[in-house]
Amino acid sequence: MRTIVKNGNVITSNDEFRGDILIENGKITGIGSFVPGEGDQVIDAAGRYVFPGGVDQHTHFSALCNSGDKDTAGYESTDAVIVGGTTTIVDYAPQDPGKGLLDSIDYRINVRAKGKTCVDYTLHAMITDIMDCIFEEVKDLPKNGISSIKCFMAYKDSPLHVDDGTLYKILRNSRDVGVTVFVHGENGELIDRFQRDCVKAGHIEPKYHAVSRPPFVEGEGTARAIYLANKAGTPLYVAHVTCQDAIDEIVKARGRNQRVMGETCTHYLTVTKKALENEDFLEASKYVCSPALRDEAELENLWNALNDGTLNAIVSDHCGIDLEMKKQGLESFTLIPNGSPGAGDRIHVIWAKGVMTGKITKQKFVQLIATNPAKINGIYPQKGDIVIGADADLVIFDPDYRGEIRWADCPNGVDYNVYEGEPLLGRVDTVLLRGEVVVENAKFVGQYGQGRFIPAKPYAAAYVGL
Ligand code: DUC
Ligand code: ZN
Ligand code: ZN
């Protein structure tokens, strides 16, 4: 059967036009004008935008989120992600206890995600235990459909922390096989000292989370990672950039032709550290994520860095940490698990706060929420744009819808939404995943388990230039 998405205002990464999209066997096989034949399924998109399904290259589903023993927001909660217009995620695969990188990836695909995920997905390897085997395993990631690995420079003395020697060796080994190294570029030593100072002075409330990790902590970590990547001769991808200090380091590196790319997150573009100052512990703790939220001026810096191409993607950094888990930090902000949910909201929030305010064009929007993440993670052109031969992952977006984000309308696997009450200036109405309608009237109508693992190719965007 053929499907024709008819008369939409099609937005791609570099164009906008009125037209039809022809779909056969789950793939886009035509873009233009098509007369429906007998038996064709026609989806009327008149008066609405049609853009590629979003690619969120930074999520943490079914993750312990460094909090110990409780796992929330498993892959079944990706129903909220696809309702929000994201059809592919690049999820983090932390090592399971006692397991290396490859076994953890295998377990994630075949046990955690299987039969549950509603979106297509690929994975980043993620070091949470510096076992001897990981250095060789990095070289085997591409054979297993994985093209990236994350190293945390923050979180001194925790299993997440990757020391400089390990980071350098991972960079060297990644270079040989085209794996992209993603770095959490905060200086763990500085944070540790500042956290101790805060607690000693009795400053234990959530707002001290931001005090203990000021922007220069991120600037230094980013600079060091860039330096090591340069010496290793390996491209670098800087995760969740929040501030001008880090942006400056990326700009300097590019000035000497070093291949460095970076992403920022929905919340760093739209929420300030004022959210951490709420007197209500639970309200404030929802916004404890790392790096920390910044002041108003940094929001503008980040929009500028996206527009001038220094930063290349907007991601959610979705972490499913419910309020019960956040309560671990009642006695001290240092014990609050870091991270906030947002994969289901990314497209709506960036449309309202980016496109509708004129901060970014519609084409830039598509690049940042779909095309670039697909390129960076080695899954383009199968994913990320409306081009012939791509998977028919499409969003039909009603620009006239007006409302507000409400957790109750689309529960996200945890018990709150950090964007509660934010305006919806347009809404994802219909979503197609590989040609199948899986969201209709903003409700999930697909199957749990419909999402497929998409093998990522090595030597992705960070290796081929900027
Ligand atoms: N880094 C992430 O990428 N996500 C959540 C917390 C963190 O430190
Ligand atoms: Zn991180
Ligand atoms: Zn993250």
Side-chain angles (χ1 to χ4, degrees):
M1 185 181 71
R2 307 190 322 163
T3 299
I4 303 172
V5 177
K6 234 181 152 29
N7 284 325
N9 293 314
V10 179
I11 312 171
T12 71
S13 63
N14 59 13
D15 208 355
E16 181 173 345
F17 53 88
R18 178 102 180 264
D20 307 339
I21 298 168
L22 179 66
I23 300 165
E24 292 167 284
N25 300 320
K27 299 276 183 194
I28 296 172
T29 54
I31 301 168
S33 180
F34 303 96
V35 179
E38 214 184 302
D40 285 350
Q41 179 191 23
V42 177
I43 299 173
D44 180 18
R48 290 175 291 166
Y49 288 115
V50 180
F51 53 77
V55 179
D56 188 344
Q57 69 177 15
H58 188 148
T59 62
H60 301 270
F61 283 91
S62 190
L64 297 176
C65 290
N66 66 50
S67 64
D69 52 2
K70 192 159 175 240
D71 200 7
T72 54
Y75 286 90
E76 64 285 347
S77 61
T78 55
D79 53 356
V81 179
I82 205 154
V83 170
T86 291
T87 46
T88 304
I89 58 172
V90 190
D91 202 44
Y92 279 97
Q95 287 168 255
D96 291 304
K99 286 197 171 115
L101 301 174
L102 295 175
D103 282 348
S104 303
I105 285 159
D106 185 64
Y107 186 72
R108 187 158 279 265
I109 295 170
N110 291 307
V111 180
R112 290 183 194 268
K114 199 173 190 145
K116 296 184 196 147
T117 179
C118 305
V119 289
D120 282 357
Y121 71 103
T122 188
L123 297 169
H124 304 287
M126 175 170 152
I127 298 173
T128 53
D129 183 353
I130 306 173
M131 301 161 89
D132 286 347
C133 62
I134 66 170
F135 300 101
E136 285 306 306
E137 282 188 309
V138 167
K139 299 181 186 167
D140 287 333
L141 289 174
K143 281 185 228 151
N144 289 274
I146 306 294
S147 76
S148 52
I149 184 164
K150 171 128 182 231
C151 300
F152 285 79
M153 299 168 85
Y155 303 112
K156 175 175 151 60
D157 296 335
S158 101
L160 286 173
H161 180 71
V162 168
D163 61 273
D164 291 350
T166 300
L167 174 58
Y168 178 75
K169 211 166 153 183
I170 291 291
L171 282 160
R172 280 302 297 262
N173 288 3
S174 296
R175 179 193 67 182
D176 295 342
V177 289
V179 165
T180 302
V181 178
F182 280 63
V183 74
H184 178 126
E186 284 187 301
N187 179 318
E189 298 273 347
L190 287 172
I191 295 165
D192 183 60
R193 171 52 52 205
F194 297 156
Q195 285 185 337
R196 286 171 195 268
D197 289 350
C198 283
V199 172
K200 201 163 165 203
H203 297 154
I204 55 164
E205 297 84 6
K207 66 182 173 191
Y208 292 102
H209 177 68
V211 174
S212 66
R213 17 188 14 126
F216 80 87
V217 162
E218 187 183 334
E220 193 283 333
T222 304
R224 186 156 30 97
I226 288 173
Y227 185 90
L228 294 175
N230 196 25
K231 292 295 169 194
T234 314
L236 186 72
Y237 200 95
V238 187
H240 44 48
V241 172
T242 71
C243 59
Q244 191 62 40
D245 282 22
I247 294 166
D248 287 344
E249 298 303 331
I250 298 173
V251 170
K252 268 192 269 171
R254 290 201 185 172
R256 56 174 184 265
N257 284 330
Q258 194 181 338
R259 285 178 305 217
V260 182
M261 302 179 89
E263 66 183 20
T264 189
C265 309
T266 322
H267 41 288
Y268 299 124
L269 290 161
T270 60
V271 188
T272 69
K273 65 183 183 190
K274 272 205 165 328
L276 291 168
E277 289 164 15
N278 199 313
E279 295 294 317
D280 180 330
F281 169 83
L282 281 184
E283 275 308 310
S285 70
K286 293 175 184 174
Y287 298 91
V288 170
C289 56
S290 286
L293 294 172
R294 305 299 187 198
D295 58 26
E296 194 77 36
E298 298 287 15
L299 270 52
E300 219 42 48
N301 295 337
L302 292 170
W303 285 111
N304 290 338
L306 289 167
N307 268 319
D308 72 18
T310 306
L311 301 180
N312 324 95
I314 301 174
V315 304
S316 67
D317 199 354
H318 178 99
C319 288
I321 301 170
D322 60 26
L323 292 177
E324 209 44 48
M325 293 163 81
K326 292 280 187 184
K327 281 187 194 163
Q328 290 169 20
L330 274 167
E331 299 301 316
S332 166
F333 72 89
T334 60
L335 302 174
I336 303 173
N338 288 193
S340 307
D345 307 296
R346 180 181 68 126
I347 284 178
H348 286 128
V349 173
I350 296 304
W351 182 270
K353 301 271 169 100
V355 177
M356 294 301 284
T357 57
K359 285 188 195 302
I360 52 172
T361 64
K362 295 191 212 81
Q363 285 65 44
K364 191 80 182 175
F365 166 79
V366 167
Q367 290 163 28
L368 294 170
I369 59 104
T371 317
N372 293 350
K375 290 180 175 174
I376 290 157
N377 293 284
I379 53 172
Y380 178 88
Q382 182 179 358
K383 302 291 184 187
D385 210 350
I386 297 179
V387 289
I388 305 279
D391 284 355
D393 298 346
L394 300 173
V395 171
I396 303 179
F397 188 85
D398 176 4
D400 299 322
Y401 183 89
R402 293 292 177 269
E404 60 182 42
I405 293 176
R406 281 194 302 242
W407 179 90
D409 290 343
C410 192
N412 55 7
V414 282
D415 46 8
Y416 60 96
N417 185 326
V418 289
Y419 302 105
E420 190 76 18
E422 286 294 327
L424 283 170
L425 305 179
R427 185 178 70 164
V428 173
D429 180 78
T430 303
V431 178
L432 282 76
L433 179 70
R434 286 177 268 103
E436 296 293 325
V437 174
V438 293
V439 175
E440 222 170 0
N441 293 326
K443 296 277 176 253
F444 183 61
V445 294
Q447 305 287 325
Y448 291 86
Q450 69 188 10
R452 290 186 188 158
F453 176 71
I454 307 293
K457 291 186 221 53
Y459 298 102
Y463 279 80
V464 293
L466 302 172

